[in-house]
């Protein structure tokens, strides 16, 4: 298997990202319009940073997005295609967001994760995120609670 490569997400990635989005977030998928609006704020001076992972054939196999406003960063989304999970790609995408938050001098990086998603929570814990609260019924219409997690003082991860 050729290692996936990370690159900035562009508007033409929205369709393949939506295919993954609908499969990976069946209960709370974002719409195309949300991705268009997120990408519209990724230019110079923008508050968003979006990355895709592409395989050797150029197919999108993962994606992740960051919002950075002032000293606060938020992980907007992160996802890896089912057949690519468990090989470290989620960690590479998250490392990319943490590094960008550090470059933007965010004092903290926050995220919401479904309470019923222990796998994603473990990934965040490995990066030093700590649980700081619960948002009841955050995910609708499924009415699932969100765990809020925070990483203080994000730093550019050292290579290796
Ligand atoms: C959460 C998600 C992004 C993680 O992506 P991933 O690519 O599977 O993440 P990683 O491979 O970096 O880590 C996941 C597991 O694989 C293991 N792993 C990492 N590299 C590995 C390797 N080379 N070989 C074997 N296992 C490996 C990790 O130890 C980890 O194990 P754990 O879950 O038991 O702790 C992915 O599962 C996903 O897209 N889920 C659906 C969408 C979702 O829930 N997104 C999060 C919303 S908040």
């Amino acid at each position: 298997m050729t290692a996936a490569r990370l690159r900035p997400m562009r508007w033409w990635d929205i369709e393949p990202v939506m295919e993954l989005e609908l499969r990976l977030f069946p209960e709370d998928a974002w719409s195309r319009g949300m991705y268009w609006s997120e990408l519209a704020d990724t230019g110079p001076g923008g508050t968003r940073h979006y990355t895709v992972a592409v395989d050797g054939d150029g197919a999108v196999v993962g994606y992740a997005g960051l919002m950075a406003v002032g000293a606060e960063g938020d992980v907007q989304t992160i996802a890896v295609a089912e057949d690519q999970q468990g090989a470290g790609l989620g960690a590479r995408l998250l490392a990319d967001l943490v590094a960008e938050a550090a470059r933007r001098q965010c004092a903290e990086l926050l995220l919401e994760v479904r309470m019923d998603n222990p796998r994603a929570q473990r990934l965040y814990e490995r990066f030093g995120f700590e649980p700081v609260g619960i948002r009841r019924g955050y995910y609708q219409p499924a009415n699932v609670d969100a765990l809020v997690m925070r990483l203080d003082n994000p730093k550019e991860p050292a290579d290796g």
Side-chain angles (χ1 to χ4, degrees):
M1 186 179 72
T2 317
R5 181 172 68 82
L6 304 192
R7 64 160 172 79
M9 180 173 167
R10 302 297 301 274
W11 65 264
W12 54 81
D13 298 314
I14 291 177
E15 282 310 312
V17 162
M18 279 305 299
E19 275 183 36
L20 291 176
E21 177 83 15
L22 292 167
R23 289 209 312 266
L24 294 166
F25 301 101
E27 291 182 330
D28 34 43
W30 281 13
S31 64
R32 274 178 191 77
M34 288 167 83
Y35 278 105
W36 277 103
S37 131
E38 290 287 293
L39 289 188
D41 203 12
T42 55
T47 62
R48 303 297 200 272
H49 166 86
Y50 273 77
T51 298
V52 288
V54 292
D55 69 11
D57 299 324
V60 175
V61 291
Y63 54 97
L66 171 80
M67 171 173 73
V69 177
E72 186 184 315
D74 282 272
V75 174
Q76 299 284 79
T77 188
I78 182 165
V80 170
E82 300 92 324
D83 61 354
Q84 305 275 331
Q85 291 179 6
L89 196 47
R92 285 175 61 200
L93 285 163
L94 185 57
D96 176 82
L97 300 191
V98 171
E100 182 66 18
R103 281 192 289 272
R104 295 183 183 216
Q105 299 182 318
C106 293
E108 58 177 9
L109 185 53
L110 290 156
L111 61 80
E112 285 94 18
V113 55
R114 284 174 65 119
M115 290 292 277
D116 59 2
N117 192 351
R119 186 163 200 201
Q121 290 172 29
R122 276 199 303 274
L123 174 64
Y124 303 138
E125 279 165 9
R126 283 207 299 278
F127 275 72
F129 283 83
E130 290 177 351
V132 290
I134 290 169
R135 295 209 171 131
R136 300 275 171 215
Y138 182 81
Y139 297 97
Q140 295 295 339
N143 199 33
V144 174
D145 297 342
L147 180 66
V148 184
M149 300 183 80
R150 184 178 67 210
L151 175 68
D152 280 326
N153 194 17
K155 292 192 176 55
E156 285 204 52
D159 283 342

